[in-house]
């Protein structure tokens, strides 16, 4: 799955997520409403929220 997290948040505390079925699938999210630092994370095992299954981490920031 792919999810949006506050920067440094625990794996099971996502803001929003979407399960994916393959490497070529596209997903789309709206940016969080609050300003701050966030991370887009990808995990290899849907519904297993754990550091050892994380395969993607892209930091981003929402500002005014």
């Amino acid at each position: 799955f792919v999810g949006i997290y506050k920067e440094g948040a625990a794996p099971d505390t996502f803001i929003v997520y979407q399960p994916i079925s393959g490497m070529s699938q596209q997903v789309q999210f709206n940016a969080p409403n609050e300003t701050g630092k966030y991370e887009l994370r990808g995990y290899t095992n849907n519904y297993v929220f754990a550091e050892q299954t994380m395969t993607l981490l892209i930091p981003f920031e929402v500002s005014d």
Side-chain angles (χ1 to χ4, degrees):
F1 74 89
V2 176
I4 293 180
Y5 291 78
K6 283 227 176 229
E7 182 180 60
D12 62 347
T13 59
F14 53 84
I15 295 170
V16 62
Y17 79 97
Q18 290 185 26
I20 56 175
S21 59
M23 295 297 287
S24 63
Q25 182 178 347
Q26 294 183 7
V27 295
Q28 187 171 0
F29 293 104
N30 292 323
N33 293 330
E34 295 180 24
T35 59
K37 294 184 178 185
Y38 296 89
E39 297 169 344
L40 179 66
R41 298 183 192 172
Y43 290 86
T44 59
N45 192 343
N46 288 337
Y47 312 109
V48 176
F49 309 108
E51 293 296 329
Q52 61 268 31
T53 65
M54 187 187 326
T55 60
L56 170 77
L57 189 145
I58 300 173
F60 68 97
E61 189 168 346
V62 175
S63 60
D64 291 337

